[in-house]
């Protein structure tokens, strides 16, 4: 997003945070309702265009949204949607993207309230690794011919009772309604949103053997000092990393593995 849409999303995130600061608001229910509105506006292109039409006043669009949705979702969710359509959007699709993100943030907020946000972060990461290593599973989850219900049933068999409820809801929405995103991109986006709930960055750490608790603590402290923010470590083990570690933060890679130092030395010798 850029321009007006970015500003509208930022304002909506602030309103969502203000709403969910009130513990009487059911964040998980709010997430489900926002996801339902996302699906509706993703499907009904003409309605989406009306609700983002810059020629119409914000109040007129908000009143329309309230009339259409007020009896279908809670007052809290309806008010949040009304606030969204009052804003200006660079593209009509940006409104749907914003709603989808707010639904995800609401579910992560629900996990944060129950003290399971760290578990959700780790489960999203591990699920991504499992999918990446299982070609048949990835094919089943991304099969365009498969129905949403069949994909949902597959995910229930994989995650039901084994993962946090918020993780299951987040992954199920991503798989059954990808909206043009790849599974990998969607999981990465969810991981970043989860980290942002605590104003943390995510570092993917790959080592030849599992790191000890002390090693994890030292690495986390060093990265926090380097980036000036608390760092959440997603740990992965790859026997092909001969020594040291490989750390990726966003697009930046800090590579200290022995294997890569050998490759660098070989390249220098060859030149």
């Amino acid at each position: 997003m850029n321009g007006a849409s970015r500003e509208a999303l930022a304002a909506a995130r602030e309103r969502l945070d203000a709403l969910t600061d009130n513990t009487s608001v059911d964040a998980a229910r709010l997430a489900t309702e926002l996801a339902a509105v996302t699906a509706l506006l993703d499907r009904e292109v003409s309605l989406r265009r009306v609700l983002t039409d810059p020629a119409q006043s914000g109040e007129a669009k908000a009143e329309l949204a309230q009339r259409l949705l007020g009896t279908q979702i809670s007052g809290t969710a309806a008010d949040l949607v009304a606030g969204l359509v009052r804003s200006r959007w660079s593209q009509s699709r940006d409104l749907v993207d914003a709603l989808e993100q707010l639904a995800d943030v609401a579910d992560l907020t629900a996990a944060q309230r129950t003290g399971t946000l760290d578990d959700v972060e780790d489960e999203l990461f591990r699920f991504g690794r499992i999918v990446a290593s299982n070609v048949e599973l990835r094919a089943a989850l991304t099969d365009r011919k498969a129905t949403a219900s069949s994909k949902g049933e597959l995910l229930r068999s994989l995650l039901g009772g084994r993962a946090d409820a918020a993780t299951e809801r987040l992954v199920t929405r991503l798989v059954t309604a990808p909206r043009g995103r790849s599974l990998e991109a969607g999981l990465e986006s969810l991981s970043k949103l989860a980290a942002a709930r605590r104003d943390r960055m995510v570092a993917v750490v790959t080592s030849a053997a599992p790191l000890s608790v002390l090693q994890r603590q030292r690495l986390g402290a060093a990265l926090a000092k380097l980036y000036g923010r608390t760092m959440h470590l997603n740990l992965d083990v790859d026997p092909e990393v001969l020594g040291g570690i490989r750390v990726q933060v966003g697009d930046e890679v800090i590579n200290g593995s022995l294997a890569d130092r050998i490759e660098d030395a070989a390249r220098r010798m060859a030149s």
Side-chain angles (χ1 to χ4, degrees):
M1 294 185 190
N2 51 47
S5 292
R6 184 180 300 172
E7 294 175 4
L9 175 57
R13 286 286 298 269
E14 290 181 4
R15 289 194 295 272
L16 177 64
D17 288 341
L19 283 171
T20 52
D21 281 345
N22 184 344
T23 55
S24 66
V25 173
D26 186 337
R29 177 187 176 186
L30 181 59
T32 299
E33 292 175 329
L34 292 174
V37 179
T38 300
L40 171 67
L41 295 186
D42 190 52
R43 186 171 63 248
E44 301 293 339
V45 178
S46 58
L47 175 59
R48 184 172 79 224
R49 288 174 177 166
V50 169
L51 292 176
T52 56
D53 184 357
Q56 301 296 321
S57 72
E59 284 305 316
K61 290 182 287 187
E63 289 176 6
L64 174 59
Q66 289 279 12
R67 286 200 307 273
L68 292 173
L69 304 172
T71 61
Q72 307 298 318
I73 57 179
S74 67
T76 300
D79 288 344
L80 192 55
V81 173
L84 282 165
V85 300
R86 283 191 186 95
S87 300
R88 294 182 66 86
W89 298 91
S90 303
Q91 301 181 62
S92 65
R93 191 169 181 81
D94 289 346
L95 171 62
V96 189
D97 292 341
L99 276 163
E100 182 178 56
Q101 186 178 129
L102 294 182
D104 292 340
V105 171
D107 254 332
L108 292 168
T109 301
Q112 190 171 31
R113 284 185 182 176
T114 59
T116 60
L117 182 56
D118 282 348
D119 293 335
V120 171
E121 289 182 80
D122 290 336
E123 287 164 358
L124 289 170
F125 175 72
R126 289 200 301 272
F127 182 77
R129 289 303 191 198
I130 291 170
V131 170
S133 64
N134 190 320
V135 176
E136 292 183 356
L137 175 60
R138 186 187 185 284
L141 293 175
T142 58
D143 184 0
R144 295 183 179 181
K145 296 180 180 178
T147 64
S149 60
S150 65
K151 292 179 182 179
E153 185 60 37
L154 174 58
L155 287 171
R156 279 190 290 275
S157 70
L158 293 171
L159 301 176
R162 300 180 181 86
D164 189 87
T167 303
E168 188 172 353
R169 290 192 298 269
L170 289 164
V171 172
T172 298
R173 285 203 298 269
L174 172 62
V175 170
T176 58
R179 300 188 55 244
R181 293 171 300 178
S182 70
L183 182 55
E184 292 79 7
L187 288 169
E188 182 180 0
S189 176
L190 289 173
S191 181
K192 289 179 179 179
L193 285 176
R197 286 306 303 163
R198 297 182 189 272
D199 192 28
R200 296 185 301 177
M201 298 181 72
V202 176
V204 177
V205 181
T206 306
S207 57
L211 300 181
S212 67
V213 173
L214 180 59
Q215 288 174 319
R216 294 198 298 268
Q217 291 174 343
R218 287 178 174 173
L219 177 60
L223 290 171
K225 184 177 181 180
L226 177 62
Y227 287 93
R229 293 174 64 183
T230 302
M231 190 71 65
H232 176 75
L233 306 183
N234 280 339
L235 304 175
D236 195 19
V237 175
D238 182 355
E240 294 186 5
V241 178
L242 301 183
I245 59 174
R246 180 180 185 273
V247 180
Q248 182 167 350
V249 181
D251 295 329
E252 184 176 1
V253 175
I254 304 171
N255 209 325
S257 72
L258 179 58
D260 284 302
R261 290 201 295 271
I262 291 173
E263 288 183 9
D264 288 340
R267 283 194 294 268
R268 286 196 296 271
M269 291 177 64
S271 61

